[in-house]
Amino acid sequence: MKKATMTLDRAYTIGSIDPRIYGSFIEHLGRAVYGGIYEPGHPTADKNGFRRDVVDLVKKLDVPVTRYPGGNFVSGFDWEDSIGPRDQRRHRLDLAWYTTETNEVGMHEFIDWCKQANTEPMYAINLGTRGVDAARNIVEYANHKGGSYWSDLRIKNGAKDPFGIKLWCLGNEMDGPWQISHRTAYEYGRVANEAGKVMKWVDPSIELVACGSSSSQMPTFGDWELTMLNECYDHVDYVSLHRYYGNPTNDTRGFLARSMDMDEFIKTVVSICDAVGGKKHSKKKLGLSFDEWNVWYHSREQDEEIIKRSRWDRALPLLEDIYNFEDALLVGSMLITFLRNADRVKIACMAQLVNVIAPIMTRNGGGAWAQTIFWPLMHASKYGRGTALRAIVDTPTYDCEDYEGVPELDTTATLADDGSVTIFAVNRSLDEPMQLSVDLRDFPGLKSVSHELLHHDDVKAINDEQNPDNVTPTPGQGGKLDGGRLEITIPALSWNVIRLTK
């Protein structure tokens, strides 16, 4: 059996964990909204048409913030279409996903859903086909108390109290040629600066996310951040990062190493943000918003066929990746990566929440169930709060095609306000357990050890409506805590949550 060691100390900290790193994303794409969170006539639907079985699963994830309404969708979206009487709302062609958007669910309905799901809205504005005027108007509509045209219209539409949306995205993936009204970095930086400026004039309490690169593989990555931040640094609070990973070649060892790319991406963007801040002699440090991340590759071929066959239909079943066990392991490592960068990553949104590359799946008229990736997100959201500890880890490594020195044991730890310590760990080894020894002498009083384990003998195992508990957490063998040292066995190919409490 291979061995690894971890040393934890109260003085070795990364920073406070912003709960918003456990956020998610609902876009008007596929069945995320229609057939996902909203399905009038479903046996569990409430009076507003929202599926209560879905809300129950979302509550288990404890999602602090939900990004909406896009995504690529937002770059062609007129927000005014989503307010007022439903029977008078326009039906529009959505050029991002080749569907027809009916606007049955709009701003008011989404805010109502957020209250049910115990989440806060993170609203994206259109900086593709729209601009500064629409940006200031939507903030006035959503957040101004009353006595102005747009705020009074909100009141007329049934919402006396302001929505109080505090987090706003300044467009989406504007570096991408696939985006409606794609802009150069300079063009985007200028419009983001002017939009952000007037949005904060309307409501100085809001926070703004500027569009960073949609992938670290973009040819403009780096130069995009430098150029656009040079224009809008003073008025934004966060820079976005987007990244998806796949395993089309069935190389499990290489696939599970992809979180190393995510870590490099984060550190590069941090360095660029600080370089621009230094150039501007600014005392402000920008945070990062990793507001799209996940595994995404299973559904790409079938999506092309669906669009070819059903173009312009409503709520096409797009991006419905069926996740397997190895996907859950990578998701666990990606969450560990966020915790290891908690000093700068303050927001992260798994894309997406329901049906569309999502931890929750539904059948129209039928059930709702948790996919394999649901469990690491739930565990991290539940236990990964408080302070991120800077763990000193010594572990065996391996090399693969794209990376050298990949840690076989990917692990980190957090310290909660009640003094409990949680260790998150992924054993990337295909066939060998890992004996982990943890030095906890600086945390006196820890007595109880609990161990939750996610493992399956088949890396391609999935959950579905007929067998929703095929890949689900089970109690681990636990460990031995003696004299400030924990000894525990981490099974091969497993996600682990080890809780030490007083």
Side-chain angles (χ1 to χ4, degrees):
M1 183 185 299
K2 293 184 177 180
K3 295 183 178 181
T5 62
M6 169 188 276
T7 302
L8 300 175
D9 192 291
R10 290 179 182 273
Y12 298 166
T13 64
I14 297 168
S16 296
I17 300 165
D18 192 321
R20 294 178 298 178
I21 66 172
Y22 307 119
S24 197
F25 181 22
I26 288 285
E27 181 174 359
H28 281 258
L29 157 59
R31 295 192 308 120
V33 176
Y34 307 117
I37 64 172
Y38 174 81
E39 189 181 345
H42 188 273
T44 71
D46 64 16
K47 64 180 181 179
N48 297 316
F50 292 118
R51 289 184 56 156
R52 285 172 292 186
D53 58 347
V54 172
V55 167
D56 289 344
L57 285 169
V58 174
K59 285 182 177 179
K60 285 185 179 181
L61 289 174
D62 194 5
V63 178
V65 65
T66 303
R67 185 169 174 246
Y68 175 87
N72 294 349
F73 170 82
V74 80
S75 292
F77 175 58
D78 293 338
W79 73 269
E80 301 90 341
D81 290 346
S82 73
I83 60 174
R86 284 187 180 180
D87 60 358
Q88 296 178 25
R89 295 180 190 173
R90 296 182 177 97
H91 292 201
R92 298 278 199 180
L93 296 184
D94 170 23
L95 303 185
W97 301 109
Y98 304 108
T99 61
T100 297
E101 173 56 52
T102 62
N103 287 299
E104 295 167 61
V105 172
M107 179 181 282
H108 288 247
E109 290 79 19
F110 180 69
I111 296 298
D112 288 342
W113 179 83
C114 285
K115 293 175 182 176
Q116 290 187 39
N118 295 335
T119 188
E120 294 293 326
M122 177 182 184
Y123 202 95
I125 67 166
N126 178 357
L127 287 185
T129 60
R130 306 295 293 277
V132 175
D133 197 45
R136 66 168 181 165
N137 292 344
I138 191 172
V139 177
E140 180 185 321
Y141 184 92
N143 288 4
H144 193 64
K145 184 176 181 180
S148 67
Y149 174 80
W150 289 107
S151 60
D152 286 347
L153 183 59
R154 182 198 69 244
I155 295 169
K156 180 182 177 181
N157 287 335
K160 179 181 177 181
D161 296 327
F163 295 143
I165 301 173
K166 295 304 179 184
L167 190 57
W168 298 79
C169 299
L170 297 172
N172 175 76
E173 294 186 354
M174 299 310 299
D175 63 324
W178 58 85
Q179 202 70 209
I180 299 170
S181 293
H182 161 62
R183 299 176 186 269
T184 66
Y186 175 77
E187 290 169 340
Y188 170 73
R190 290 297 304 139
V191 72
N193 185 72
E194 295 306 311
K197 179 174 70 179
V198 298
M199 291 168 75
K200 285 190 172 181
W201 284 354
V202 175
D203 184 353
S205 71
I206 64 175
E207 293 185 305
L208 302 176
V209 181
C211 286
S213 293
S214 52
S215 166
S216 56
Q217 305 303 303
M218 291 293 290
T220 54
F221 171 52
D223 185 62
W224 173 273
E225 281 76 7
L226 279 169
T227 301
M228 72 91 177
L229 282 176
N230 193 56
E231 301 303 320
C232 66
Y233 189 96
D234 293 337
H235 290 118
V236 302
D237 304 284
Y238 307 94
V239 174
S240 74
L241 301 82
H242 293 179
R243 196 70 172 100
Y244 299 97
Y245 298 102
N247 187 21
T249 62
N250 287 321
D251 173 16
T252 297
R253 285 165 64 86
F255 176 62
L256 295 182
R258 296 297 180 199
S259 58
M260 295 183 69
D261 171 82
M262 172 180 270
D263 189 70
E264 293 171 3
F265 191 9
I266 290 168
K267 287 179 168 53
T268 301
V269 175
V270 165
S271 68
I272 295 171
C273 289
D274 290 348
V276 176
K279 176 185 174 183
K280 291 180 172 288
H281 304 169
S282 175
K283 296 180 179 180
K284 178 172 70 173
K285 277 192 179 295
L286 295 185
L288 302 190
S289 175
F290 220 118
D291 49 43
E292 286 190 32
W293 68 274
N294 206 342
V295 173
W296 175 20
Y297 73 101
H298 297 284
S299 63
R300 291 186 185 272
E301 291 183 6
Q302 71 186 38
D303 289 344
E304 294 176 4
E305 289 300 316
I306 290 170
I307 291 173
K308 184 178 179 180
R309 182 176 65 247
S310 304
R311 194 181 182 102
W312 308 127
D313 283 356
R314 174 184 177 274
L316 300 179
L318 300 174
L319 281 67
E320 297 199 2
D321 276 33
I322 305 302
Y323 290 112
N324 58 38
F325 171 58
E326 69 178 3
D327 297 331
L329 294 179
L330 180 58
V331 163
S333 282
M334 294 166 85
L335 289 160
I336 287 171
T337 301
F338 292 146
L339 290 170
R340 282 202 290 254
N341 291 278
D343 55 332
R344 298 302 288 268
V345 178
K346 297 300 181 181
I347 304 162
C349 302
M350 177 185 273
Q352 294 189 15
L353 186 56
V354 186
N355 289 329
V356 175
I357 48 175
I360 299 169
M361 289 296 294
T362 72
R363 180 170 59 85
N364 290 353
W369 61 96
Q371 294 223 68
T372 62
I373 63 172
F374 180 97
W375 301 112
L377 181 60
M378 186 198 77
H379 285 146
S381 180
K382 186 176 181 179
Y383 299 123
R385 307 289 179 110
T387 300
L389 297 175
R390 192 176 300 280
I392 309 302
V393 180
D394 185 11
T395 171
T397 63
Y398 68 89
D399 297 337
C400 59
E401 183 176 351
D402 294 324
Y403 304 98
E404 295 181 354
V406 180
E408 286 202 345
L409 188 69
D410 190 15
T411 184
T412 195
T414 62
L415 174 64
D417 294 339
D418 64 2
S420 62
V421 173
T422 300
I423 297 168
F424 300 101
V426 172
N427 187 350
R428 292 176 167 130
S429 173
L430 302 183
D431 49 22
E432 286 197 59
M434 187 78 66
Q435 184 65 31
L436 175 63
S437 178
V438 186
D439 185 341
L440 291 158
R441 287 174 294 178
D442 200 49
F443 300 89
L446 296 177
K447 295 182 178 180
S448 175
V449 181
S450 64
H451 181 194
E452 291 194 62
L453 171 69
L454 190 69
H455 172 76
H456 200 285
D457 290 337
D458 180 6
V459 294
K460 304 301 182 183
I462 65 169
N463 295 340
D464 56 26
E465 189 174 10
Q466 289 70 41
N467 193 5
D469 298 323
N470 186 34
V471 181
T472 193
T474 59
Q477 294 181 354
K480 182 180 179 181
L481 181 61
D482 184 32
R485 184 170 293 276
L486 170 69
E487 300 289 340
I488 190 168
T489 300
I490 308 296
L493 283 180
S494 63
W495 160 259
N496 303 263
V497 183
I498 303 154
R499 297 268 296 152
L500 303 119
T501 56
K502 293 185 176 182

